[in-house]
């Protein structure tokens, strides 16, 4: 008969332990080191400590031994591999008019994904019902192919401000019914996994940082120009969320004293009320109705409306009014960005979102304004580039948000000490310091 197991009381790991465990995992995860001697060389940790940490990480299923690695004389050391398939992450990006869902492995590689039209304004119940159904479908698909993988965490991007600490939207202007809704609690209960929720612009910035055009950068600014305008800030390699989680909400910065244009937030003079996709569509419609653009009048007649995408197409075919609208929007965005560039000195500004993807004209106007209005030192090395992940940035970033949280040193040390995962990590609520990068 087996002895009854005495429950293991997790010991509180020392700070050195926390750091060395995370360092060893990060070196193998990033591919910077593949063998124990390489880990030792890169980290400065002694051989005994490296062996202990590797053993712990192997025991809990995060690492495995592979083929023989390169030998520097003597017996070749075994190569170590991060077990990216030890679990999966569910990620969703909810836009104003679409849902994107995906399943990734623990290295952020997308294994399956789905996208469909959806209206965020229907409210949290119908939208999250649909997200849950899509997650279930993808999991069935993945499990048929990869076996019974456990969900280690869930990441959700929403098109509005989110209080990151609680995973609840906070007075989101385009999301009626979502204010204070417990998105995190609902999905945790449904899938039995930890959930993190953030503004989609932050997940987009994170996606670009980990897997897109900002890979390897430390100071970037991601600007989304879609129906609205928002920005995500990465400072020193970390997402800067600010004290309440709404850093980067530049769409409602005042760019004009006129009290004539009222923004959807209720204020007047906001950047997005002049330069966002909805503003472009409004001005394009007026131009069509007032006979200032033959092209847009034709669009209005055949489709019954004018969209921001119509204005981009019109501009590309030489419609002067549309060229002016896009140039004016680009200049307004650019002059605000110039302030941010001076204030914050990023190395890279990435412009994403539907309106930015539609043509070069807007991006050219943004660039011109930023370079003209910023100090030479701030722009000497500055690159302003279009998003390379485009509409996938938010989904990939939502998965990386979860991965970053799971492997934050303190959490990692706790669940490794507690003997999980094998199934999925049991997370304890531990205070986090800044993640090691
Ligand atoms: Zn506003």
């Amino acid at each position: 008969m087996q002895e009854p197991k005495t429950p293991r009381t997790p010991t509180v790991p020392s700070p050195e332990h926390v750091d060395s465990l995370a360092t060893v995992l990060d070196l193998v995860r990033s591919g910077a080191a593949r063998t124990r001697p390489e880990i030792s060389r890169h980290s400065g940790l002694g051989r005994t400590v490296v062996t202990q940490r590797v053993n712990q990480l192997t025991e809990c299923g995060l690492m495995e031994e592979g083929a023989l690695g390169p030998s520097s004389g003597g017996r070749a050391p075994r190569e170590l591999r991060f077990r990216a398939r030890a679990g999966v992450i569910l990620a969703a990006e909810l836009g104003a008019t679409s849902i994107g869902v995906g399943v990734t492995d623990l290295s952020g590689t997308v294994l399956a994904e789905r996208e469909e039209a959806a209206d965020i304004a229907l409210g949290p119940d119908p939208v999250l019902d649909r997200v849950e159904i899509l997650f279930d479908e993808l999991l069935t698909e993945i499990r048929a192919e990869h076996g019974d993988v456990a969900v280690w965490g869930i990441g959700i991007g929403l098109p509005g401000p989110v209080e990151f600490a609680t995973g609840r939207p906070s007075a989101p202007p385009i999301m009626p019914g979502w204010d204070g809704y417990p998105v995190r609690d609902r999905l945790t209960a449904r899938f039995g996994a930890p959930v993190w929720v953030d503004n989609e612009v932050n997940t987009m910035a994170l996606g670009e940082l980990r897997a897109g055009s900002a890979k390897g950068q430390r100071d970037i600014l991601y600007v989304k120009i879609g129906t609205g305008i928002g920005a995500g800030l990465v400072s020193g390699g970390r997402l800067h969320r600010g004290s309440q989680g709404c850093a980067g909400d530049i769409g409602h910065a005042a760019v004009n004293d006129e009290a004539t244009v009222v923004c959807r937030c209720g204020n007047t003079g906001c950047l997005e009320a002049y330069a966002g996709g909805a503003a472009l569509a409004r001005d394009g419609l007026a131009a069509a109705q007032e006979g200032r653009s033959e092209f847009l009048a034709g669009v209005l007649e055949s489709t019954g409306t004018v969209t921001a995408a119509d204005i981009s197409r019109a501009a590309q075919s030489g419609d002067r009014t549309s060229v002016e609208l896009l140039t004016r929007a680009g200049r307004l965005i650019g002059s605000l960005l110039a302030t941010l560039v001076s204030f914050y000195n990023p190395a890279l500004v990435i412009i994403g979102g539907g309106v930015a993807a539609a043509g070069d004209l807007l991006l050219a106007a943004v660039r011109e304004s930023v370079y003209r209005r910023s100090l030479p030192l701030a722009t000497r090395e500055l690159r302003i580039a279009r998003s390379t992940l485009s509409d996938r940035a938010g989904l990939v970033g939502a998965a990386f948000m979860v991965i970053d949280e799971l492997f934050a040193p303190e959490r990692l040390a706790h669940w490794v000490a507690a003997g999980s995962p094998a199934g999925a990590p049991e997370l304890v609520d531990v205070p986090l310091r800044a993640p090691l990068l």
Side-chain angles (χ1 to χ4, degrees), residues 404-430:
D404 284 0
E405 294 289 337
L406 286 176
F407 296 137
E410 294 83 352
R411 284 217 180 88
L412 176 71
H414 266 83
W415 49 264
V416 167
S420 48
E426 232 172 81
L427 289 186
V428 264
D429 220 358
V430 288

Side-chain angles (χ1 to χ4, degrees), residues 251-252 263-267 270 272:
H252 304 284
C263 179
R264 61 184 176 177
C265 73
N267 268 330
C270 296
E272 75 172 41

Side-chain angles (χ1 to χ4, degrees), residues 51-93:
T51 302
Q52 282 170 357
R53 300 296 167 264
V54 167
N55 288 348
Q56 281 180 303
L57 291 164
T58 310
E59 267 166 38
C60 77
L62 279 174
M63 238 184 231
E64 65 186 357
E65 292 207 322
L68 291 177
S71 164
S72 50
R75 201 159 58 93
R78 286 263 169 206
E79 268 193 4
L80 296 161
R81 276 199 301 250
F82 172 58
R83 288 190 66 235
R85 298 281 164 88
V88 291
I89 308 293
L90 299 178
E93 196 215 355

